[in-house]
Amino acid sequence: MPLIRSWLDSANAADCPFPLNNLPCGVFSLDETEPRCGVAIGDVILDVSALEADGLLELDGGPYLDVPFWNELMAAGPAIWADLRDRMTELLAEGSEWREQVVPYLVAQDGAVLHLPFLIAEYTDFYAGRHHAFNVGTMFRGAENALPPNWLHIPIGYNGRASSVVVSGTEVRRPWGQIKGPDDAAPRFAPSARFDIELELGAVVGTASDPGYPVTVAEADQMIFGYVLLNDWSARDIQAWEYQPLGPFQAKATATTISPWIVMRAALEPFRTSTPDREKPLLPYLQEPRPMLYDIALEVGLIPQGGAETILSRTNYAEMYYSAPQQLAHHTTSGCAMNTGDLLGSGTISGPTKDSRGSLLELSWGGKEPIAIDGGTRSFIEDNDTLILRGAARGDGYQIGFGDCAGKVIPALADPYKRR
Amino acid sequence: MPLIRSWLDSANAADCPFPLNNLPCGVFSLDETEPRCGVAIGDVILDVSALEADGLLELDGGPYLDVPFWNELMAAGPAIWADLRDRMTELLAEGSEWREQVVPYLVAQDGAVLHLPFLIAEYTDFYAGRHHAFNVGTMFRGAENALPPNWLHIPIGYNGRASSVVVSGTEVRRPWGQIKGPDDAAPRFAPSARFDIELELGAVVGTASDPGYPVTVAEADQMIFGYVLLNDWSARDIQAWEYQPLGPFQAKATATTISPWIVMRAALEPFRTSTPDREKPLLPYLQEPRPMLYDIALEVGLIPQGGAETILSRTNYAEMYYSAPQQLAHHTTSGCAMNTGDLLGSGTISGPTKDSRGSLLELSWGGKEPIAIDGGTRSFIEDNDTLILRGAARGDGYQIGFGDCAGKVIPALADPYKRR
């Protein structure tokens, strides 16, 4: 599919993350206005809440956008999602008769504050990248036990903490936690010294499943409204001590940063690609009827305070062993109800080479091989480092961007129990 | 504290679970009415939503009860909770001048349908019973590795699935899942053959914590609105295969049943008791400034289809090694925000003896020692068995009851992917 040209010149540039092919969904505010729903196009935002209120966007069963989150539209299902895209395209395409009426609803992205685009219902994080699982397993349990016996059969996941999810740009405070090194006699309560990122893609559930009924992989695909970049901040020292036998808990609960724009599944259709060959056959309920991954180039940048950015890693979402529809289908096997606004982290997306790893834990091999950055080296995150995830699916003369997923790590509280 | 006598005779009986000392919070409906908030007293329910709407219950900052859940009142904090109790006591106490005005707001418990009393924000389940952890650890990992090294230092917990929480009386369908026995060559997708209960108490978070700031154990205690009985239904065969390395997932996501009445913390004050002596000293952030457990007698009953009930187990909440305030304080160490409506499962409450174990896994020792019930034996739950948890704190001539926490297990779907 080629670029769909818009009468907005900024949307037609080959390096623009938000061409008319994209139309990602966010929530924004200006100094004088309350948060509302917007769609990014070129270098501006189309105020779709106002468009709908004024009768220029009519969707069956609406209004959906009279709230500062996308959940009501997400719950409406794929036919309404398609109607929204059709109408946006009609309004914004080159030669549109609506141009003059639409102009008053455009605001500059510069100066707009972006908020969480949807209310997070529940958050689940997976562990579905083959290279990441092998790397981390090797460090935590040794190479011979790296990949657990179930890993090639189940998209392994755990429930995370929805209250930890924040939007890109939110500062992340280094957490305190209970820590015990392998040679320590007893645990202590201290700020994490091994604070890390995990480069992930997040799948956003649009339509709910019926409680008690599993869904197929094909049905799961249709339930997904879109995708965001996701940074699953992880305190490795807390994690190593707490995670046996019931999994990560406080190590992953400080913050989970997502990019501000939900890229709708429809925008990614031209970039579908298959999961890799199965090393062991999957049970029928996990088999994919068609390609369920996407070719999305990803990178991680680190900017130290007052320094220049270093790109730490470049990888691709196509490196995943399990797709989001497989994860979502597995999530319902027990009859577990999935709801509008559920967020599913893909698991860390590491490639096969050292420069394509999706966490500092892997990049520095547990701190043993510090990596070079502007003005120094890093094993884990230092105070005042800013970490940025970026992603783009690159088409013929255009790209589908996500917007930065960024967070600056600020120093731990001096005394976490001192009251404000 | 003695019984507070009511002009409602049924509330003064020594075996009544809902005397004036209790005043638990629920949501009920009648054939002709929508769900609304009610307080149980004797054998009736006081329609507090209607009382508030009609001006007979005025709380600062209200209305709180014009919604079919208690979250708004829970968020209002301990002073408002106390005001509610004071006013209920004024209305219902023996000799009350309000008696005639209150009578029209009473409805019989018989015939009322009870609903979830609050909107579950997020659900966390702990593993904080010493006997349970040792028993299960022995079965899963052998006696020498039974208690993980962190267990005596951390109230181990994992995030559960809030969408799984249902109210007592809801039928629970036996789940399908991915299962692989130790001698199987490969996993298969099948109905769970080792479906189980876990006898727990659930703590209901009333007031939220500040994102980024841990709370002390004393502050955590004040945040807790009340307690419910909680059955953490568990598919042991699914759990055994999936839980390494990131913890239980689908094994625990079919259903989590809670009792219909939230017993407010204030009602349990006379029953405070201490956690047992520490086997290893706790870090200061986990130390308790006063007794934080409660003396609550608990039991589990099983009723087979067409048969009589057998009491499988009798134990006490005082058997826990960690209290709910300790768990909640630990939950915030990373800066994790806790919100109104968060539900914290205590972990399975097993006592030291065989007849005080809180799960069939322990009672039948993994199926090796089936237990006798009316007309047969049980290793795990059979189809059409009804499991009932009961609890009561017993005072001087009265008791604080929770109401049954019951669920009937119905057969698995024949084909979980056949559409309705």
Side-chain angles (χ1 to χ4, degrees), chain A residues 265-317:
Chain A
R265 180 165 48 80
L268 294 169
E269 285 301 325
F271 305 96
R272 279 194 185 259
T273 185
S274 296
T275 45
D277 287 345
R278 303 291 95 181
E279 298 177 40
K280 296 196 178 176
L282 290 177
L283 285 165
Y285 82 91
L286 283 172
Q287 291 171 12
E288 295 172 308
R290 63 172 180 145
M292 292 280 177
L293 288 179
Y294 301 98
D295 176 2
I296 302 172
L298 301 164
E299 67 178 32
V300 180
L302 185 154
I303 306 175
Q305 181 138 23
E309 179 171 354
T310 301
I311 300 299
L312 303 182
S313 179
R314 288 189 176 86
T315 181
N316 195 296
Y317 179 57

Side-chain angles (χ1 to χ4, degrees), chain A residues 122 150 153-154 159 161-163 176 178 210 213-214 219 241 244 250 254 285 331 334 337 342 419-420, chain B residues 122 150 153-154 159 161-163 178 210 213-214 219 241 244 250 254 285 331 333-334 337 342 419-420:
Chain A
E122 299 194 59
N150 53 17
H153 300 280
I154 299 179
N159 298 296
R161 181 78 193 171
S163 71
W176 286 68
Q178 196 177 129
D210 285 347
Y213 290 85
E219 289 166 341
W241 172 231
Q244 292 277 21
Q250 289 304 286
T254 300
Y285 82 91
H331 210 319
S334 64
D342 282 340
R419 284 296 149 248
R420 286 71 69 198
Chain B
E122 299 194 59
N150 53 17
H153 301 278
I154 299 179
N159 299 295
R161 181 78 195 171
S163 70
Q178 195 176 130
D210 286 347
Y213 290 86
E219 288 166 341
W241 172 231
Q244 292 278 22
Q250 289 304 287
T254 300
Y285 82 90
H331 210 320
T333 47
S334 65
D342 282 340
R419 285 295 149 251
R420 288 71 72 198

Side-chain angles (χ1 to χ4, degrees), chain A residues 137 140-141 145 148 237-249 251, chain B residues 127 141 145-152 154-158 243-248:
Chain A
F140 276 49
R141 290 177 296 275
N145 297 313
D237 37 10
I238 298 171
Q239 185 178 356
W241 172 231
E242 79 174 359
Y243 93 105
Q244 292 277 21
L246 298 187
F249 186 49
Chain B
Y127 184 62
R141 291 178 295 276
N145 296 312
L147 218 55
N150 53 17
W151 200 92
L152 293 170
I154 299 179
I156 295 290
Y158 64 97
Y243 92 105
Q244 292 278 22
L246 299 187

Side-chain angles (χ1 to χ4, degrees), chain B residues 129-135 276 313-320 348-358 362-363 365:
Chain B
R130 178 76 167 85
H131 306 293
H132 172 74
F134 183 80
N135 289 339
S313 179
R314 287 190 176 85
T315 181
N316 195 296
Y317 180 58
E319 293 289 351
M320 300 308 295
T348 307
I349 307 165
S350 291
T353 57
K354 179 160 180 176
D355 60 0
S356 62
R357 295 173 183 165
E362 295 164 87
L363 286 161
W365 206 252

Side-chain angles (χ1 to χ4, degrees), chain A residues 24-66:
Chain A
C25 306
V27 169
F28 73 101
S29 63
L30 305 174
D31 283 349
E32 68 276 20
T33 64
E34 293 295 297
R36 59 185 57 205
C37 295
V39 165
I41 176 79
D43 58 5
V44 295
I45 301 170
L46 179 59
D47 183 342
V48 288
S49 287
L51 267 188
E52 190 188 50
D54 293 348
L56 287 165
L57 168 65
E58 292 187 67
L59 297 169
D60 276 357
Y64 297 111
L65 304 175
D66 53 343

